[in-house]
Amino acid sequence: MPQLPAPDYPDDVRARLEADAREVIARYPDSRSALLPLLHLVQSEEGHVTRTGMQFCADMLDLTTAEVTAVATFYTMYRRKPSGDYQVGVCTNTLCAVMGGDAIFEALQDHLGVGNGETTDDGKVTLEHIECNAACDFAPVVMVNWEFFDNQTVQTAKRLVDDLRAGAQVEPTRGAPMCTFKETARVLAGFPDERPGAVEAGGSAGPASLTGLRLAKGEMTPARVVHPRASGGPQDQPPAEHLSSHDAPQRTSASDPAHPAGPVSEEGE
């Protein structure tokens, strides 16, 4: 059945959101370009993108609700139903999966009593499996409200969600300190993070991710790749430094004790 028009925000909420929206729209020569940050703005108000929020974006940008809905439903960063204060995403793409991501995701489902995309009864944690986070050298990776928690194990992931539900202070492996999903959405809308020290705590990836940059700057000697069956050439030289992205500074094999990480040699090599 057709749905009735979306209810409007209360007058005070709409006035506040309109002021914020005008600030965002003024940053763009074409107002339509402000749609993504405006969706984050309405998400910061209710924790997900409601019909009311999409109607608000359409009104502010002179778009149809169909145009707004097409964008809101395309990107997974916009939630379409109420969710938790902390979006806990476990990467289950190939490398994270084989390094323990699948085991972590299965263990967290049992530990929290929720399935994929579901929220705990206390409204604190929404669990989901997510696609690649571009942090393969720190696999397996868990993200909470888009902040990195690298080199996770089943045990550390369980402790992480327990701390989040208990309201304990949780520090990402890198990046700003934790905040709620609504607060994260407002930052993504383009408003400054006003928490003391949050910007300075941005951090960066660890040594494994920076190997390519160090090579480009000439700070490391490039590795020599020599085929093990190659004939001729210097065979008595020590092997070159191994620069695989798997050489993360932390051990990750604990996430799958039955299959510890390590070099594997084929017969004859």
Side-chain angles (χ1 to χ4, degrees), residues 12 65 68 76 86 100 104 125 147-148 164 176 238 250 257:
D12 58 330
T65 53
V68 175
T76 58
Y86 301 99
I104 290 174
V125 171
E147 299 293 351
F148 284 97
L164 291 172
Q250 297 92 347

Side-chain angles (χ1 to χ4, degrees), residues 221-227 233-235 237-241 243:
T221 303
R224 293 187 60 197
V225 179
V226 180
H227 194 282
Q235 299 295 326
Q237 295 184 5
E241 180 183 359
L243 298 178

Side-chain angles (χ1 to χ4, degrees), residues 62 101 111 116 127 135 170 176 185 233:
D62 195 23
H111 186 65
N116 181 48
L127 179 67
V170 174

Side-chain angles (χ1 to χ4, degrees), residues 16 23 137 166 169 201 243:
R16 173 166 48 79
E23 180 179 339
D137 41 355
Q169 183 175 0
L243 298 178

Side-chain angles (χ1 to χ4, degrees), residues 126-179:
T126 297
L127 179 67
E128 61 180 353
H129 71 79
I130 52 180
E131 296 300 318
C132 183
N133 289 309
C136 301
D137 41 355
F138 300 115
V141 174
V142 173
M143 296 195 83
V144 180
N145 294 351
W146 316 124
E147 299 293 351
F148 284 97
F149 290 81
D150 302 308
N151 293 288
Q152 293 295 293
T153 67
V154 168
Q155 292 73 27
T156 61
K158 286 182 177 180
R159 185 164 60 248
L160 169 61
V161 296
D162 286 345
D163 287 344
L164 291 172
R165 299 182 72 184
Q169 183 175 0
V170 174
E171 294 293 337
T173 308
R174 45 195 160 107
M178 288 304 309
C179 60

Side-chain angles (χ1 to χ4, degrees), residues 1-239:
M1 295 294 293
Q3 291 182 308
L4 296 174
D8 202 355
Y9 288 118
D11 292 342
D12 58 330
V13 174
R14 185 175 181 94
R16 173 166 48 79
L17 289 177
E18 284 184 355
D20 288 340
R22 284 192 289 270
E23 180 179 339
V24 172
I25 294 170
R27 302 169 187 163
Y28 298 90
D30 184 348
S31 63
R32 186 189 184 101
S33 300
L35 178 54
L36 294 181
L38 283 195
L39 285 169
H40 283 298
L41 176 64
V42 297
Q43 185 160 252
S44 72
E45 184 66 31
E46 299 177 270
H48 65 294
V49 178
T50 63
R51 292 172 52 236
T52 297
M54 287 190 282
Q55 182 66 63
F56 173 82
C57 293
D59 293 343
M60 296 300 299
L61 300 175
D62 195 23
L63 299 174
T64 66
T65 53
E67 290 173 308
V68 175
T69 303
V71 174
T73 57
F74 181 82
Y75 295 102
T76 58
M77 59 188 174
Y78 300 121
R79 309 298 179 189
R80 296 301 310 281
K81 62 181 181 179
S83 55
D85 292 334
Y86 301 99
Q87 305 283 330
V88 176
V90 181
C91 182
T92 54
N93 261 29
T94 305
L95 184 56
C96 277
V98 300
M99 294 293 285
D102 282 346
I104 290 174
F105 184 64
E106 182 177 352
L108 288 183
Q109 289 184 91
D110 292 338
H111 186 65
L112 296 172
V114 298
N116 181 48
E118 295 180 353
T119 303
T120 54
D121 292 338
D122 58 9
K124 292 293 185 180
V125 171
T126 297
L127 179 67
E128 61 180 353
H129 71 79
I130 52 180
E131 296 300 318
C132 183
N133 289 309
C136 301
D137 41 355
F138 300 115
V141 174
V142 173
M143 296 195 83
V144 180
N145 294 351
W146 316 124
E147 299 293 351
F148 284 97
F149 290 81
D150 302 308
N151 293 288
Q152 293 295 293
T153 67
V154 168
Q155 292 73 27
T156 61
K158 286 182 177 180
R159 185 164 60 248
L160 169 61
V161 296
D162 286 345
D163 287 344
L164 291 172
R165 299 182 72 184
Q169 183 175 0
V170 174
E171 294 293 337
T173 308
R174 45 195 160 107
M178 288 304 309
C179 60
T180 67
F181 184 67
K182 288 183 179 180
E183 292 171 324
T184 300
R186 183 169 177 82
V187 173
L188 291 175
F191 294 94
D193 190 338
E194 298 178 349
R195 294 173 298 153
V199 176
E200 293 77 9
S204 65
S209 290
L210 300 179
T211 297
L213 177 62
R214 293 176 61 193
L215 282 170
K217 291 182 175 181
E219 298 175 0
M220 297 177 62
T221 303
R224 293 187 60 197
V225 179
V226 180
H227 194 282
R229 296 186 178 88
S231 59
Q235 299 295 326
D236 57 343
Q237 295 184 5

